[in-house]
Amino acid sequence: MSLQWSCQRYGAMGTVSMIKMKIGSKLLLTYFLLIFSIFMITSISFRFISQRYLIHETEQQLQKDAKVMSQLLSKVSLSNNLVQKKLANERAFTVSERLLSSKMIIWRADQEIVYTDMGNVSLDHVMEKSKGPDRKFVTKTESIIAKNGKIKGYVTLVASLRDINNFNGMMRKSQLVSLVISALIALFLGIFFKNSLTKPIRLLMEHMRNFSLKGANKEISIKTNDEIGELADSFQALTSKLKQYDEDQKMFFHNASHELKTPLMAIQGNAEGILDGVVRGDDIEKSLQVIIAESQRLKKIVEGITYLAKLENVEESFFFSSESLDAVIREAVQSVKSLAEQKGIDIKVDIRVFEAVLMDKEKMKRAFINLLGNAIRYAESIIVVSAIQRESEREVTIEIRDDGRGLAPEESQKIFQRFYSGEDGGSGIGLAITKAIIEAHHGIITACNSEEGGAVFQIRCPLKR
C-alpha cells in the first residue's frame, strides 16, 4: 500500500515538474493579470466614486434650482391657481445638466401642499425616504420668504435615487465597453511585444543547441539594442573563445606528442641497440649517455608542462609582495650570466623604476630568466634589459632586446603558444610559462622586431593592483 502511494506521489510530482511555462507565456500572463487587476480596481472604484459624485452633484443642482424657485414664488400668493399659473410660464427643472429630472413640492408653513407633481406621494413619505439605509430620494428644501421677511412656505425639489442609479449604470456600461475595447487592443499589443521579445531568445536558444566545437557554426546576429542583444554578443564571444581554446588544445596535444616522441625514440633506439648487441664496446657508454641526456630532457619537458598547467588553471598559488624590480631583474641576469659569457654575449641593465612593484618575486624572476635565456640563444653579442616607470599610467614597461636575426613575420603571434619552437629553438614551453606568469600579474607581454634589428620582448605591468 505504501509502495503504491509512493509511486502515485512520485508520478504526481513528476507531472508537476514537467509542467513548464515559457518566458513569453509568463510575460503575457503577467501582462493580462496586470490589466485584469487594473480593470477590477477601476470598476470597483468607479462604481462607488461615481455614485457618490452623482448624488453630490444632484444635491447641489437641487439646491440651486430650489433657490431660484423660492425667489420666483416669493412675489406671489401661495394659492393653487396662482402657483400653477406661475409654474406654467417656467421651463421644467432638471439636474445634472438635464440628464436627471426632478420633481417639485410647494407647501405652506402649516405643511399644506400647494403644488406637487409627484401624484399621491405625501410630503412625509418623501422626507422619510430621503434619509437612512432605505433612502429612495434626494431632496433639497428652500424657504419662500415674503416681502415682510416672514416665511410663508417652502419649495422642495426631489430627485429619484433610482434615476441616479440608472444613470450610474449607464455610465458603467460605457466604461465596460471602453475597457473591453482597451483589453482587446492590449491583447493585440501584448502578443506583438511577446513575439518581438521571445523571437531573439528562440534564435539564441537554437544557436546554442546547434553549437559544436567540431563543425563550423554560423555567427549569430541579434541586434535588439537591449540585454538580449548583449547576451547574444556575450555568447558569440564565448563560442569564439571555446573554439580558440579547442584549437589550442588540439595544437597542444599535437606538439606535446611530437616533443615527447623525439626523446622517447632516442631512448628506445639506444636501449634496443644495447639489448640486441648492436651497440658494443665504447659505444655502449655513448648510448647510455644519450639515454640519460634524453631522459633529462624528457623530465624537463614534463615538468614544464605540469608547471604551465598549474599556472593556467590557477592551481599554482601566487604570493604577492612589494619588491624592488631592479633587484629581481639583476638576480635573473646573474643566474644566466655564466651562459652568456660562454657565448661571448654582454648583458646591459638600465632600470629606471624606483618605486616598489607588487609581484610574486620567484615567479617573476623565472619569467625574466626564460626571456633572457631565449635572448642568449639568438643574440650575436649584446642584450639590453631596460625598465621605465610611467607615472601617468601607473605602470612599468620592461624591454629585453637582443641583436640577433629577429623574429620571422608570423612568429610574433605564435611565439607564446605552447610547444611553438622557432629555428634553433628549445622545447617551446618557456615563453608560454612566461606569458602565463605575466598575465597572472595583470600584465601584457608582446614580441616584435626592433628597427635596429633583433627581437624585442616588452612587458607592461601595473605598479599596484
Side-chain angles (χ1 to χ4, degrees):
M1 184 68 179
S2 61
L3 178 61
Q4 182 181 3
W5 180 82
S6 300
C7 292
Q8 291 176 350
R9 182 169 177 240
Y10 177 79
M13 292 177 63
T15 303
V16 172
S17 64
M18 290 178 64
I19 299 175
K20 296 182 179 180
M21 185 177 291
K22 295 183 178 180
I23 185 171
S25 301
K26 289 181 180 179
L27 291 173
L28 195 59
L29 178 61
T30 304
Y31 182 66
F32 287 155
L33 288 176
L34 179 62
I35 292 176
F36 179 75
S37 301
I38 295 173
F39 172 79
M40 294 300 297
I41 293 171
T42 304
S43 299
I44 295 172
S45 302
F46 181 81
R47 179 179 180 182
F48 291 101
I49 293 174
S50 63
Q51 179 80 0
R52 299 185 65 173
Y53 173 78
L54 286 174
I55 292 174
H56 177 72
E57 287 296 312
T58 300
E59 288 176 343
Q60 292 213 341
Q61 191 63 46
L62 289 176
Q63 184 80 38
K64 179 180 177 182
D65 292 344
K67 285 182 180 180
V68 173
M69 181 53 61
S70 67
Q71 291 174 1
L72 291 174
L73 296 175
S74 64
K75 299 177 182 179
V76 298
S77 175
L78 294 183
S79 62
N80 292 340
N81 293 333
L82 292 174
V83 170
Q84 290 180 4
K85 184 178 179 180
K86 186 68 175 176
L87 293 178
N89 296 327
E90 300 298 329
R91 301 172 63 185
F93 287 92
T94 56
V95 296
S96 296
E97 296 188 3
R98 302 188 181 274
L99 290 175
L100 297 173
S101 61
S102 65
K103 303 294 183 179
M104 184 185 304
I105 300 175
I106 301 173
W107 46 289
R108 294 191 184 99
D110 58 0
Q111 294 192 352
E112 180 185 354
I113 296 176
V114 177
Y115 172 85
T116 178
D117 56 1
M118 294 189 66
N120 296 326
V121 180
S122 66
L123 178 62
D124 292 337
H125 178 73
V126 170
M127 293 303 179
E128 182 183 352
K129 293 299 182 179
S130 63
K131 299 177 182 178
D134 297 331
R135 185 181 187 185
K136 293 182 179 181
F137 303 106
V138 178
T139 63
K140 283 297 176 180
T141 301
E142 284 290 332
S143 301
I144 303 174
I145 309 298
K147 290 182 179 180
N148 58 8
K150 293 183 179 180
I151 298 175
K152 61 179 182 178
Y154 300 91
V155 56
T156 299
L157 292 183
V158 183
S160 173
L161 196 60
R162 180 185 298 174
D163 294 340
I164 295 175
N165 290 335
N166 291 338
F167 181 68
N168 192 24
M170 182 180 67
M171 293 178 63
R172 287 203 303 271
K173 289 179 181 178
S174 300
Q175 182 205 25
L176 178 62
V177 172
S178 300
L179 288 174
V180 169
I181 295 174
S182 301
L184 291 175
I185 296 174
L187 173 63
F188 172 77
L189 292 176
I191 294 174
F192 173 77
F193 285 122
K194 172 212 167 188
N195 293 333
S196 63
L197 178 65
T198 56
K199 182 179 179 180
I201 296 178
R202 289 195 301 269
L203 290 175
L204 179 58
M205 182 174 63
E206 183 180 357
H207 185 81
M208 294 173 70
R209 285 176 176 173
N210 295 330
F211 174 75
S212 173
L213 289 173
K214 296 181 179 180
N217 297 280
K218 294 182 180 180
E219 184 174 350
I220 186 170
S221 178
I222 298 177
K223 305 299 181 182
T224 56
N225 297 322
D226 56 16
E227 289 81 356
I228 297 176
E230 293 176 1
L231 179 62
D233 294 339
S234 299
F235 179 76
Q236 187 64 43
L238 177 62
T239 55
S240 299
K241 289 181 179 179
L242 286 174
K243 294 285 285 186
Q244 184 62 46
Y245 181 77
D246 184 62
E247 291 177 4
D248 291 343
Q249 288 294 101
K250 291 178 180 177
M251 183 63 68
F252 168 76
F253 288 120
H254 173 75
N255 292 336
S257 62
H258 175 74
E259 288 295 327
L260 295 174
K261 184 179 179 180
T262 302
L264 286 174
M265 288 180 63
I267 293 172
Q268 180 182 2
N270 285 275
E272 289 177 350
I274 295 174
L275 182 62
D276 295 339
V278 177
V279 179
R280 299 177 181 178
D282 295 338
D283 291 336
I284 294 177
E285 184 177 352
K286 293 180 180 179
S287 293
L288 291 174
Q289 291 293 334
V290 171
I291 291 173
I292 293 172
E294 293 299 326
S295 297
Q296 291 175 346
R297 180 188 173 192
L298 187 61
K299 178 183 177 183
K300 185 177 179 181
I301 292 174
V302 172
E303 288 177 347
I305 294 173
T306 305
Y307 187 72
L308 179 60
K310 289 181 179 181
L311 291 176
E312 292 182 342
N313 292 310
V314 200
E315 294 179 2
E316 182 75 8
S317 299
F318 282 76
F319 301 96
F320 292 96
S321 60
S322 295
E323 302 288 345
S324 168
L325 182 64
D326 180 75
V328 175
I329 290 178
R330 292 188 183 278
E331 287 182 17
V333 170
Q334 187 65 33
S335 298
V336 298
K337 185 175 182 180
S338 59
L339 178 62
E341 289 177 348
Q342 291 177 11
K343 297 187 65 175
I345 297 172
D346 185 24
I347 301 178
K348 294 185 177 180
V349 180
D350 181 18
I351 308 300
R352 300 182 184 181
V353 178
F354 307 104
E355 188 175 345
V357 179
L358 191 64
M359 69 173 79
D360 185 315
K361 180 180 178 180
E362 294 303 319
K363 291 183 176 59
M364 191 62 82
K365 179 180 175 182
R366 178 167 183 168
F368 291 141
I369 291 174
N370 288 342
L371 291 173
L372 289 168
N374 184 77
I376 291 171
R377 182 177 290 110
Y378 297 104
E380 296 290 338
S381 60
I382 190 171
I383 297 173
V384 178
V385 182
S386 62
I388 60 172
Q389 179 176 339
R390 299 180 185 272
E391 287 293 341
S392 59
E393 300 177 4
R394 297 297 297 164
E395 68 176 17
V396 294
T397 301
I398 306 161
E399 290 186 351
I400 297 178
R401 298 170 175 264
D402 63 59
D403 60 347
R405 61 176 178 269
L407 302 173
E410 70 280 359
E411 279 191 324
S412 59
Q413 300 298 326
K414 300 179 180 179
I415 198 168
F416 296 106
Q417 293 180 1
R418 291 170 290 186
F419 294 108
Y420 177 80
S421 179
E423 187 178 351
D424 299 328
S427 64
I429 294 292
L431 292 181
I433 291 174
T434 300
K435 183 175 183 289
I437 292 173
I438 298 302
E439 289 179 349
H441 285 76
H442 299 275
I444 300 173
I445 183 170
T446 57
C448 62
N449 290 325
S450 65
E451 296 180 356
E452 296 82 9
V456 180
F457 287 83
Q458 185 183 80
I459 300 171
R460 297 177 66 180
C461 280
L463 286 170
K464 304 284 184 182
R465 292 202 318 279

